[in-house]
Amino acid sequence: MPLYKKKSFLLSEPPENLDPRDEVFQVRFTKEIFKDYENYLKRLNIYRQRIWTCKITGKINLTYEEALVSENRATEKVQQIPEVFIVPILETVQYSTLNLQDLVNEIHSKLQKLLYEGVELNGQKEKSVCTCKILKVLKNSQDNLYEVGWLDENKKVMHTSTVNSDDLAYKKPPVSKIMLKSFIRESSSQSCPWIVNEKLAHKHRLPIELPKELCGNTNGNIRGCKTKEDGKNIPDLRGNRNNKKRKIMILDNSEDLGEKSKKLKKGEIEAKKCIKYPIEDCLVEPSADDPIFTDRPLPSRDFKVPMDCVGDLLMVWDFCSSFKRVLHLFPFSFEDFEKAICEKESSLVLILETHSALLNFLMKDEREYYIAVQKKKRKSKITRITWIDYLCDFLEICDKSKPFTCLSTIKRGHYGLLDVHVKIRILHELVSEAITTNVIREKLDEYVEKHRVLMARKREEGRLKKQEESAINRKLVLGNGKNDMEISSIQGNHKFNETHLQNGVEDHKPNGNYDTENRRKKLEVYSKKTNKQNEISSKTVHKVDDSIRSKKENMKDVQSLVNSTCEHKKENFENEMEEKLRKNSLGNDRDYNRYLFFQRDGRLFIESSDSKNWGYYTTKEELDAFMGSLNPKGERERALKLRMEEQYTRISSVLQKRCRNIAQRTQLEETVVRRSTRVTAQPRDSPATAFRRYVNKWKSDT
């Protein structure tokens, strides 16, 4: 149960004398019941505050519900610890006086040496390391010997031999330190010393009696503890075993312990500061310097097909969309495909054309299916009437390894009455067979080669771009140097004229030998000359500056034009590649949920780690909130966020376009319904029934 400010919290008792007809308010995640709405709100506000701590993992600053989810997940992980390790772990924990970190390290090192029958290890064999499996533990007074079986690539035992424990080692730690921490917290009722819960202690027959050192029955002073014989009133912990909050008196040197604890806390803080992010997402803990993360939006899950069929249906639709030209199949939306699959009608054009295109494609490959069709002397062209026969031929071939119990229903012409699971399974088998054909392999090789060439071209263009930029910079520097020299020479002439004028003025200072009128005329001549030279020099400087600016602007315009042209070509080619190749996932979040974006559908899909649940985001607001919830301190979420930021413009524009299309479609549906109501006719042109009006415009004539 989550801790309230790191202390245990008691849930409220149900109201007394509760009548079944009374109106009550219940907290969803604690099942607490309140008669008074104000008390219900007060309790709910407490649960929503970030003051709760996960009891098992020690995570802080959580809401009650987040802490509860954290505890449930930690409990599931703890239950994955092999049964053979539980007793050794609990024996080490019981009455240990180590702190949690030291205790975890001690147990972790012990488990590395604990070997048991059936475990796969790395063993040293003739100066090489091979995979082996312990078949039997041989009891020997001197050495720990084991009979092991050496495994081949298929995990089969080739031969056996006897090996010493020193020559065996785990491929990876049998239990992680994080899992050990959670297990110790969950299985213990007290720390310092650690005391295992009584139920677990009785179940695994652990020692219940406290050690004499801790009870004070000896004259020794263990870890500075005073015993009863020292005259201190220390309670006997053996007297009340049912009390989970057993206490031991603190030592006389409490001040020293306080200083040590402060040093330990400082060391932990410094260690946290020294952590180099990103790290494993599960190890990331909230800290004061974290930004404010937004709440992760809940994805929509309103699929028309069952949840366990979404992945297979997406795979089929993506294949048909990616290889539409090869299949001669006009593209259709995923929503229309969903609706068509769920329909009970057997003559839907979309379903008929999809199956016919896949079956035609398999016939052109001239393999097992083609031979089976030829034996039955069927025509090479599949029509709307005969497609059922060709489908039954395919299912008969598949029936040998994966039986289909629906053949009789399909032969009677009632394909639409099949269960959705069966329809999707048939399409999945058709696509799985089509992927293995030579045509698809050649196309994939062609697309992969184009992708490789594109990547090589990108690298080459990047290298050339850097060279061009460096060359342009050098030219500009050299050009600026020449222009600076010209400007400096002009400015030098200007300064020379000024100094010459001043010298002339000084030379013609009035004295008795010269006439004042002559001096005045000479000064006017000098001033006119200098003014003209100044005007010429300033015009020249402006001209040089203008030429430099124009050169730079022209270079920028040319460079931007070249870049825009290249980027446009790249974008077109990448869009074409994306239509051909199946797009890899954008990445995984901290819970290993996978995120996939299909531009043709306009939705960001979320696949759970076990592939059993699916969801999607459809709006830019959901995309922004999701990106704001990613923690870049974790390895997976950091990589996912970087990938999302790279694709943000494209993804957001596609989501917005989809929202606009949905709004227009909704408006059109309302218009059609209003019009059909006035004329008392069926709304045949409604977008909701667009899947019924599908036409394969690329249908092959052969």
Side-chain angles (χ1 to χ4, degrees), residues 19-69:
D19 192 275
R21 292 171 294 180
D22 290 343
E23 183 178 350
V24 295
F25 306 96
Q26 186 182 40
V27 180
R28 174 174 49 83
F29 38 82
T30 62
K31 308 302 180 187
E32 292 174 292
I33 297 174
F34 297 89
K35 278 187 174 181
D36 187 20
Y37 185 65
E38 290 185 2
N39 293 335
Y40 164 76
L41 284 181
K42 286 179 182 178
R43 182 56 63 95
L44 202 60
N45 287 333
I46 293 173
Y47 289 146
R48 287 173 176 171
Q49 295 177 22
R50 292 193 171 275
I51 53 177
W52 298 90
T53 303
C54 176
K55 184 180 179 181
I56 300 175
T57 62
K59 291 181 180 179
I60 60 174
N61 298 332
L62 304 174
T63 63
Y64 185 92
E65 193 171 10
E66 290 173 348
L68 198 63
V69 171

Side-chain angles (χ1 to χ4, degrees), residues 487-531:
I487 293 169
S488 61
S489 64
I490 293 167
Q491 290 175 347
N493 294 332
H494 178 60
K495 288 180 180 178
F496 172 77
N497 292 330
E498 287 181 352
T499 54
H500 187 65
L501 177 62
Q502 290 175 0
N503 293 332
V505 172
E506 290 177 357
D507 290 340
H508 295 82
K509 283 183 180 179
N511 53 43
N513 297 328
Y514 296 95
D515 187 47
T516 56
E517 185 65 25
N518 292 332
R519 286 198 301 271
R520 186 178 62 77
K521 289 181 179 179
K522 288 183 179 180
L523 284 173
E524 287 178 358
V525 172
Y526 278 118
S527 62
K528 287 179 181 179
K529 287 183 179 180
T530 52
N531 289 334

